[in-house]
Amino acid sequence: MTSQLLAARAAYVLRGNDLGTMTSAAPRLYPHMWSWDAAFVAVGLARLSVPRAILELDTLLGAQWGNGMIPHIVFNPDSTGYFPGPERWGCHLGVPGAPPYPATSGICQPPVHAIAMQRVVEASRRQGRSDRQAAGEFVDRAWRPLVAWHRWLATARDPQGRGRVVLHHGWESGMDNSPRWDGPYSRVVVGADLPPYQRRDTLVVTDASMRPSDREYDRYLWLIEEMRRVGYDDALVHERVSFAVEDVLVSALLAVACDVLADLGEERGQPAADVAELRAWARRCRAGVVESVDPVTGLARDRDVRTGEWLSTETVAGFAPLLCGGLPRARESALLEAFEGERWCGHPQLAAAVPPSTSPASGAFRPREYWRGPQWPVIAWLFHWSFARRGWAERAAVLREEGLRLVGAGDFAEYYDPLNGEPLGSMQQSWTAAAVLDWLC
């Protein structure tokens, strides 16, 4: 398929999934707005319409909680076919700080929104004066909400000041059933009073090998129950919820996002105290990620707060230091070699040389199962963007070329079998289309 046709199809997907003020993540399986999906969607929309990209982020920020948290789902009131929906979360029913409307979930997702804002600003500079003005005004308008979001992550979710953001649900990582969470999830004891439920994801994706198991879902929903029963209070959640893990990838993204936001704030003349605070959070998170690196494998590690255990898994999160920097040159070079080596992007059986979610050489590798092996175009985009930002132009170009090869059939799947390139999960996925648009336009 030609680049022009692929870009046209990607634009068609985004326009088709447009709900007016938000974009559904995917028309059948994910009919609502997801936090980090929305950020990537805005990156793609900026290639079509800067004002529409700004509206996407404005809608998300309009659902921000009073404590600064940006919720991982903003529910589309016209769709009731998703589970767990607003009733299961119960956040709109008087939870302090939660917006009564629109209904939201009670957890977060990775902080990639400042990156999206930067890309919108960059896109506006290639357009007319009105787009540039709109983007500048958006930065000014979104400044306080985004600083508050980063502050919440840096304080409420890093209460010990270690520089590693604590998550209380695997969904908060965006990598729901990654092998990263096998240990912490195994220690979640589901209560006998877990309210009954019926999954709906398996009605859309009928191949069970692509989705988390029912046993995993019990644990996912029990964690929601634990948070709901303490009113989503930050301190009580940190104290009582069974799952508590320091996530190195989210921490690396917070470090990057703080620096990106600080750069934008300096350009727009935002308060120097805010900029200094953002720089300090970036330094602390960068140091926290570097501290987590396994001296043997060179990969960054998550840490189970409940047991104190470092979690050594061969997942793409291990390359978090390549996103945020901070490693000594020799160790960084070794990590880059590993990223491009035969256990990862250079594995001889891969259909495209982009990072799989789990190493094909790992015993935990499952090529068709969600975050346990498949390749995600949006993750390839994230490393491509970071490599370009860090001055690794040739490496960035390879990720772009290989990412486009992965999605070249134009199905815009949620994820792909890394061994044969088969599209998996839901089709017409908005953030896949957005990544393609940004690569091509």
Side-chain angles (χ1 to χ4, degrees):
M1 184 180 299
T2 66
S3 295
Q4 291 85 353
L5 182 54
L6 190 61
R9 288 195 176 185
Y12 180 82
V13 168
L14 286 184
R15 291 186 175 117
N17 293 350
D18 191 342
L19 302 175
T21 59
M22 66 170 68
T23 303
S24 68
R28 296 185 61 208
L29 186 55
Y30 306 112
H32 306 287
M33 169 183 268
W34 268 257
S35 173
W36 75 325
D37 292 64
F40 292 113
V41 165
V43 170
L45 285 173
R47 298 297 193 163
L48 305 175
S49 166
V50 167
R52 180 62 188 84
I54 290 171
L55 178 60
E56 190 77 11
L57 295 173
D58 270 334
T59 298
L60 179 65
L61 293 175
Q64 187 171 25
W65 284 36
N67 61 5
M69 184 185 77
I70 295 178
H72 102 293
I73 302 176
V74 180
F75 289 103
N76 167 21
D78 296 326
S79 179
T80 58
Y82 177 80
F83 180 84
E87 296 75 20
R88 193 78 179 201
W89 293 95
C91 301
H92 60 300
L93 303 176
V95 172
Y101 184 89
T104 75
S105 65
I107 59 177
C108 65
Q109 272 191 327
V112 291
H113 311 90
I115 296 170
M117 185 161 72
Q118 180 198 55
R119 297 297 284 177
V120 171
V121 170
E122 290 173 355
S124 75
R125 290 169 179 164
R126 294 186 289 269
Q127 306 301 322
R129 181 177 179 180
S130 62
D131 278 357
R132 292 195 296 272
Q133 180 177 347
E137 291 172 353
F138 172 63
V139 173
D140 294 341
R141 181 169 66 250
W143 177 258
R144 288 189 179 279
L146 286 179
V147 171
W149 164 226
H150 290 187
R151 179 177 293 114
W152 180 79
L153 287 168
T155 55
R157 287 304 186 91
D158 184 16
Q160 302 302 318
R162 293 192 177 104
R164 291 184 295 273
V165 176
V166 177
L167 305 187
H168 292 290
H169 201 299
W171 288 352
E172 294 195 305
S173 71
M175 300 181 177
D176 305 6
N177 69 327
S178 172
R180 303 165 67 191
W181 317 131
D182 286 356
Y185 271 140
S186 72
R187 292 182 276 277
V188 174
V189 178
V190 177
D193 57 341
L194 175 69
Y197 68 95
Q198 181 177 0
R199 292 177 65 174
R200 297 189 182 180
D201 60 313
T202 50
L203 301 178
V204 177
V205 180
T206 55
D207 184 344
S209 70
M210 299 185 197
R211 301 294 299 173
S213 68
D214 287 347
R215 186 177 182 183
E216 288 173 299
Y217 242 79
D218 284 350
R219 289 168 174 156
Y220 299 161
L221 295 174
W222 181 247
L223 292 174
I224 295 174
E225 281 300 305
E226 288 188 323
M227 285 184 266
R228 181 173 178 167
R229 292 176 187 186
V230 298
Y232 299 97
D233 177 271
D234 288 331
L236 293 177
V237 164
H238 190 71
E239 176 186 336
R240 300 182 188 178
V241 171
S242 303
F243 186 105
V245 179
E246 295 170 357
D247 183 318
V248 289
L249 187 63
V250 168
S251 303
L253 289 171
L254 180 57
V256 174
C258 282
D259 275 334
V260 167
L261 188 58
D263 290 344
L264 290 168
E266 288 176 341
E267 291 176 9
R268 297 294 300 179
Q270 293 295 338
D274 287 349
V275 171
E277 197 169 27
L278 288 164
R279 298 290 189 201
W281 294 330
R283 288 192 298 271
R284 190 175 76 193
C285 287
R286 194 174 296 112
V289 171
V290 169
E291 183 186 26
S292 80
V293 171
D294 188 323
V296 177
T297 67
L299 296 175
R301 298 170 294 177
D302 305 302
R303 180 177 173 273
D304 190 330
V305 175
R306 299 292 179 240
T307 66
E309 173 190 4
W310 288 108
L311 305 174
S312 298
T313 57
E314 279 194 286
T315 72
V316 70
F319 296 103
L322 299 183
L323 298 175
C324 66
L327 284 175
R329 186 180 298 274
R331 292 171 68 190
E332 185 170 78
S333 295
L335 193 57
L336 277 167
E337 288 182 12
F339 182 84
E340 295 171 343
E342 62 182 14
R343 297 186 74 87
W344 287 94
C345 297
H347 191 281
Q349 295 181 343
L350 293 185
V354 297
S357 45
T358 300
S359 169
S362 166
F365 177 69
R366 303 288 183 273
R368 298 174 61 84
E369 190 179 337
Y370 214 40
W371 287 99
R372 302 187 76 89
Q375 292 170 316
W376 292 69
V378 71
I379 297 298
W381 182 94
L382 188 59
F383 277 93
H384 158 264
W385 172 84
S386 179
F387 285 8
R389 178 175 179 267
R390 301 197 63 198
W392 303 334
E394 292 183 6
R395 288 186 163 98
V398 169
L399 285 175
R400 174 187 176 276
E401 179 181 347
E402 292 296 310
L404 287 172
R405 187 151 70 90
L406 184 66
V407 303
D411 38 51
F412 304 104
E414 188 177 5
Y415 45 94
Y416 292 79
D417 186 317
L419 303 181
N420 61 23
E422 179 187 353
L424 302 175
S426 65
M427 301 298 117
Q428 309 299 300
Q429 192 83 12
S430 292
W431 67 355
T432 303
V436 169
L437 268 178
D438 193 64
W439 275 331
L440 290 176
C441 297

